Amino acid sequence: MDNRQAIGSWLSGPKAAAEEMGVDFGYPGQRLGLPQQGSGSVARFGRRIAAVALDWIGCQLIAYGLITGGNLGAAGNWTLGLFVALTVLTVGTVGFTPGKRLLGLRVVAEDGGRLGIVRVVVRTLLLALVVPALIWDRDGRGLHDRLARAVQVRI
């Protein structure tokens, strides 16, 4: 192995190096028994982040315009509180937030059923901490979803 190959494998990460050696990781969601694409497949990162952004912006507009009366400094904490409440209420009842629904996503349990309220609260609190949502497994699920035994799928 020359230095270029060693540097290339280091830069591209262990997964790419393992794939070069012939390891087959499958597609995201395969270990969970989900289809590779279409309805019921694991939602991709771009859609998930866009859905969270839509929900956050909506909560921020409500906090800024209706609760704080235009006080931008006070809107931040209200935005987080509204986001947590919105997520717990909507994911706990219908399985998606308004942003997720607009982008065709749903949060389900690993077995395909609905999440119980305790799992929804745990998932939402971890999501509010941000860091667990930025750590993924090979199925593309954030740590908050793994700990709540949930998966975001396409509708």
Side-chain angles (χ1 to χ4, degrees), residues 120-137:
V120 170
V121 169
V122 167
R123 180 187 178 279
T124 303
L125 291 178
L126 289 170
L127 178 62
L129 292 175
V130 177
V131 174
L134 297 176
I135 301 170
W136 310 301
D137 65 4

Side-chain angles (χ1 to χ4, degrees), residues 77-93:
N77 290 334
W78 281 105
T79 301
L80 180 60
L82 285 171
F83 179 79
V84 167
L86 171 80
T87 304
V88 168
L89 291 174
T90 57
V91 172
T93 56

